[in-house]
Amino acid sequence: QYQPLQNHKMSQLAGECRKKKAKNMIRKLIIAVIATSASGFTPPISTALLRQQYRLFSSSDKHDLDSSALIGSFDPMNLADGIDDSSSPSIHRAAAIAAATAALVSSPLAANAAGPDWGVFEGRTGSLLHPISMFGMAALSASTALLGFQWRRQRTIGDEISALKKIIPNLNGASSVSEALAAAEGAETVDSGYIATLKSALSIESQINDLTIERKELASQGNRDKHFNQGSLLLFIGIAFAIEGPLNTYARAGKLFPGPHLYAGAGLVVLWALAASMVPAMQKGSDTARTVHIGANLAGIGLFVWQISTGIPILLKVIEFTKWP
């Protein structure tokens, strides 16, 4: 009967031990964060400068280094105040290397953006991905818009055919205007007024036949599916390379260059998203959604054309200041 009580006490002791270990770990982490986070509030250190400092620390002439200056470069806890200048050189070298390592680890990652560690992405190959893809996206936008208008034509041509059929007079059971006209002219009692009406309806029947042939040709092209597929591809690749462009600029220069080209590109992505968001309502037959969809895409094509004119000078600068690969 004492066994359950003993097990309960042992579980309580184990829980208290775990709590103490967790508290000790939290204290150690807090001390480590306080000791190494001070450099996060200083200007970022470039990769080239850190490498130069590292070469300085690892050079053969280590005895000539000013250890107090090196320690002062990173001393958030004022640890250098307690170091005696008469200490052995090995202690000074160890402190200097530890300070440089802490500065390298705790400096913001953004400091490495302008460093030479991006490889092909930073060179001319990666820099040309954005302009080449955007030229392709401009052509794809025009093609997708054409397919969209062809699908719209196929969808609305039936309304024109129905409106024209309402104008055609009563054919008295005939299958076409020409057949009704032949029957009216061969009847025993000729109705000249009816015959004149049928003759005027021949042109309307010809229009209906032409529209019917056009609708069959458009239906055989599959414009709806092509428009949807190309629009989806445009949305994916366009947004991907619209983001890739600023990332590549930041990798090369360490900063962005806000201006009309950047702002118009961001606006173009917003217009693409707006046009795509109208598709569910369009599938339910909303004319308002169709109007917004068409307007957003036309505005996007206009921005695209303008983007080419503002992007060519940037492209020439990229070619001038980058090297293969």
Side-chain angles (χ1 to χ4, degrees):
Q1 60 180 348
Y2 297 103
Q3 188 67 26
L5 181 59
Q6 185 176 3
N7 292 337
H8 179 68
K9 290 182 178 180
M10 291 179 66
S11 62
Q12 286 182 343
L13 291 174
E16 291 178 358
C17 290
R18 286 194 296 269
K19 290 181 180 179
K20 289 181 180 179
K21 290 182 180 180
K23 289 180 180 179
N24 291 332
M25 181 63 68
I26 292 173
R27 291 194 188 100
K28 292 179 181 179
L29 289 175
I30 292 174
I31 294 172
V33 169
I34 294 175
T36 59
S37 62
S39 65
F41 299 93
T42 61
I45 304 171
S46 65
T47 307
L49 180 58
L50 290 173
R51 289 182 176 178
Q52 184 178 2
Q53 292 179 356
Y54 181 76
R55 294 192 194 101
L56 181 63
F57 298 146
S58 60
S59 63
S60 60
D61 193 12
K62 296 179 181 178
H63 295 285
D64 296 335
L65 295 177
D66 185 1
S67 61
S68 62
L70 292 174
I71 297 173
S73 63
F74 179 78
D75 191 13
M77 301 296 292
N78 294 323
L79 300 176
D81 295 340
I83 298 178
D84 187 7
D85 292 339
S86 62
S87 302
S88 63
S90 60
I91 296 178
H92 288 285
R93 287 196 297 272
I97 294 173
T101 304
L104 178 61
V105 173
S106 60
S107 61
L109 294 177
N112 295 332
D117 297 331
W118 293 84
V120 177
F121 184 73
E122 188 179 3
R124 185 173 295 177
T125 302
S127 300
L128 292 180
L129 288 176
H130 178 78
I132 291 174
S133 64
M134 286 300 136
F135 276 116
M137 291 300 100
L140 185 62
S141 295
S143 174
T144 305
L146 179 61
L147 289 173
F149 281 114
Q150 289 178 340
W151 160 240
R152 180 180 175 84
R153 175 63 177 168
Q154 176 187 342
R155 186 175 52 83
T156 60
I157 200 171
D159 297 334
E160 297 182 24
I161 294 175
S162 299
L164 290 174
K165 285 182 178 181
K166 293 179 180 180
I167 303 176
I168 294 179
N170 185 16
L171 301 180
N172 293 326
S175 59
S176 63
V177 176
S178 57
E179 183 180 343
L181 179 60
E185 290 177 343
E188 297 180 356
T189 303
V190 177
D191 188 348
S192 57
Y194 179 65
I195 292 175
T197 303
L198 290 176
K199 288 182 178 180
S200 62
L202 287 173
S203 60
I204 300 175
E205 185 180 47
S206 178
Q207 293 180 25
I208 293 174
N209 293 334
D210 293 339
L211 292 174
T212 303
I213 294 173
E214 181 183 359
R215 181 170 62 178
K216 289 181 179 179
E217 291 178 353
L218 291 173
S220 64
Q221 295 174 3
N223 293 312
R224 179 191 179 190
D225 294 336
K226 291 180 180 178
H227 176 70
F228 183 84
N229 294 334
Q230 285 192 196
S232 301
L233 186 65
L234 175 65
L235 185 65
F236 169 68
I237 299 180
I239 292 178
F241 281 96
I243 296 174
E244 183 272 342
L247 289 178
N248 178 264
T249 300
Y250 190 77
R252 286 185 290 105
K255 61 179 179 179
L256 297 179
F257 301 93
H261 189 79
L262 182 63
Y263 297 145
L268 180 58
V269 172
V270 172
L271 289 174
W272 282 340
L274 175 62
S277 67
M278 294 294 107
V279 173
M282 291 167 57
Q283 293 175 341
K284 295 179 181 180
S286 174
D287 290 332
T288 302
R290 292 191 180 101
T291 302
V292 174
H293 178 83
I294 294 172
N297 281 308
L298 290 178
I301 291 176
L303 274 180
F304 230 140
V305 173
W306 185 70
Q307 281 287 76
I308 293 175
S309 63
T310 60
I312 289 178
I314 301 175
L315 173 61
L316 297 177
K317 289 183 180 180
V318 168
I319 296 175
E320 179 182 359
F321 294 105
T322 58
K323 295 180 181 180
W324 297 108

XYZ file of all heavy atoms in Angstrom, residues 11 23 29 52 63-64 86 167 169 178 220 267 269 274 287 321:
121
model
N 7.908 10.742 -8.773
C 7.522 11.519 -9.958
C 7.563 13.011 -9.673
O 7.955 13.815 -10.529
C 6.131 11.103 -10.418
O 5.171 11.380 -9.398
N 15.145 25.973 -15.864
C 15.443 27.344 -15.415
C 16.914 27.677 -15.612
O 17.272 28.772 -16.048
C 15.057 27.485 -13.943
C 13.549 27.489 -13.692
C 13.242 27.641 -12.216
C 11.737 27.648 -11.966
N 11.413 27.780 -10.521
N 20.868 30.893 -21.549
C 20.508 31.470 -22.843
C 20.374 32.983 -22.758
O 20.799 33.717 -23.654
C 19.203 30.846 -23.348
C 19.285 29.392 -23.796
C 17.898 28.880 -24.157
C 20.219 29.246 -24.990
N 38.856 40.733 -43.906
C 40.119 41.434 -43.725
C 40.579 41.348 -42.270
O 41.758 41.144 -41.978
C 39.959 42.896 -44.158
C 41.255 43.702 -44.103
C 41.039 45.111 -44.593
O 39.925 45.471 -44.926
N 42.088 45.889 -44.647
N 52.365 39.121 -32.892
C 52.847 39.810 -31.703
C 52.765 41.323 -31.849
O 52.869 42.036 -30.862
C 54.301 39.407 -31.421
C 54.437 37.956 -31.072
N 54.071 37.454 -29.841
C 54.849 36.890 -31.815
C 54.302 36.144 -29.815
N 54.763 35.782 -31.009
N 52.578 41.812 -33.097
C 52.529 43.255 -33.302
C 51.130 43.811 -33.187
O 50.904 44.994 -33.428
C 53.094 43.619 -34.685
C 54.573 43.259 -34.783
O 55.217 43.209 -33.714
O 55.055 43.024 -35.916
N 49.823 43.559 -19.054
C 51.045 42.789 -18.853
C 50.821 41.293 -18.974
O 51.712 40.504 -18.682
C 51.631 43.109 -17.464
O 50.703 42.738 -16.453
N -35.375 38.949 -86.073
C -35.740 39.890 -87.147
C -36.317 39.155 -88.357
O -37.126 39.714 -89.117
C -34.496 40.716 -87.562
C -33.924 41.455 -86.346
C -34.835 41.707 -88.658
C -32.654 42.212 -86.636
N -38.642 37.155 -90.722
C -40.112 36.977 -90.691
C -40.514 35.508 -90.617
O -39.671 34.611 -90.677
C -40.550 37.593 -92.030
C -39.357 37.481 -92.920
C -38.163 37.620 -92.028
N -34.407 31.324 -98.013
C -34.409 31.045 -99.454
C -35.470 30.013 -99.819
O -36.145 30.125 -100.861
C -33.027 30.546 -99.882
O -32.664 29.401 -99.132
N -13.646 25.126 -81.982
C -12.669 24.084 -82.293
C -11.257 24.450 -81.837
O -10.401 23.580 -81.708
C -12.667 23.807 -83.804
O -12.227 24.958 -84.530
N 2.917 47.411 -58.852
C 1.529 47.625 -59.261
C 1.049 46.586 -60.256
O -0.116 46.165 -60.224
N 2.016 43.444 -60.415
C 1.730 42.212 -59.663
C 0.361 42.310 -58.977
O -0.406 41.348 -58.945
C 2.845 41.945 -58.636
C 2.477 40.787 -57.721
C 4.160 41.650 -59.345
N -5.478 40.908 -58.844
C -6.870 41.355 -58.937
C -7.597 40.634 -60.062
O -8.746 40.177 -59.884
C -6.904 42.869 -59.167
C -8.285 43.491 -59.409
C -9.193 43.283 -58.205
C -8.146 44.979 -59.719
N -21.081 39.731 -64.797
C -20.539 40.656 -65.793
C -19.626 41.698 -65.155
O -18.677 42.171 -65.789
C -21.682 41.352 -66.536
C -22.440 40.395 -67.447
O -21.816 39.411 -67.913
O -23.644 40.626 -67.681
N 28.047 46.768 -65.758
C 28.700 46.598 -64.459
C 28.767 45.162 -63.967
O 29.165 44.916 -62.817
C 28.001 47.462 -63.393
C 28.140 48.938 -63.632
C 27.071 49.680 -64.116
C 29.349 49.571 -63.393
C 27.196 51.038 -64.335
C 29.468 50.939 -63.602
C 28.400 51.682 -64.086
